[in-house]
Amino acid sequence: MHLKTSLLIPLVAATALAGCMAPPRDRLAGDQPPTTVEAVDLDRYMGRWFEIARADHSFERGCDGVIAEYARRADGMIRVLNSCWKAGLEGPVNVAEGRARIADPQSNAKLEVSFFGPFFGDYWIIDLAEDYSWVVVSEPEGRYLWILARDPQPGERFIETRLAALQARGFDTTALIYPEQWPSADAVPADMAD
């Protein structure tokens, strides 16, 4: 019995990994990766971000009220804490903790993030407000795409402006998902305020 169990574990792990690694469709026209911003002040980047829009992918299906929080770690990496409320803001919350490392120390605009063992994925900062009030994140092939803001309700004009900028850069934004988001930063449940 012990032998069968030990053979099953790698199979289950391999199947789960294959499911996680199936990439979403490419949303970026052409073969050139998106350009990143010139420089990111990581200390200003730390803190809480609300997800305003995202490209569809399996690990956030059914998520609303999505929050990403970043903090420096003692080992030089960055702590990543993602919170997702399933099926609406009244639903159960799922929290995933990961870590990020700097892939391009000259600009700090290219990070690599891991939530699963030794596997890291690209996290490229391709647009960023001068006052660090919003950011657009993607990766080399444009398959993943997020619009994040410090304010969970940045308004329709903000969204229209970000979409127009992405479209001008060759991104297909037609299938972006706009999760239900908190009415204000103060509306986030108190146990998630840390």
Side-chain angles (χ1 to χ4, degrees), residues 105-133:
Q106 285 192 317
S107 70
N108 293 327
K110 294 180 182 178
L111 306 175
E112 294 172 333
V113 179
S114 174
F115 289 94
F116 183 66
F119 302 100
F120 283 82
D122 291 306
Y123 178 110
W124 285 16
I125 299 169
I126 65 168
D127 206 356
L128 179 63
E130 192 173 322
D131 64 357
Y132 286 67
S133 61

Side-chain angles (χ1 to χ4, degrees), residues 11 26 37 42 65 78 107 153 167 172 180 192:
L11 177 62
D26 189 346
V37 297
L42 288 177
I78 297 167
S107 70
Q153 299 292 334
Q167 290 160 8
D172 177 3
E180 181 182 1
M192 297 303 302

Side-chain angles (χ1 to χ4, degrees), residues 167-194:
Q167 290 160 8
R169 294 177 69 172
F171 279 91
D172 177 3
T173 63
T174 56
L176 289 183
I177 295 167
Y178 303 89
E180 181 182 1
Q181 195 48 271
W182 303 98
S184 70
D186 293 335
V188 178
D191 59 349
M192 297 303 302
D194 298 328

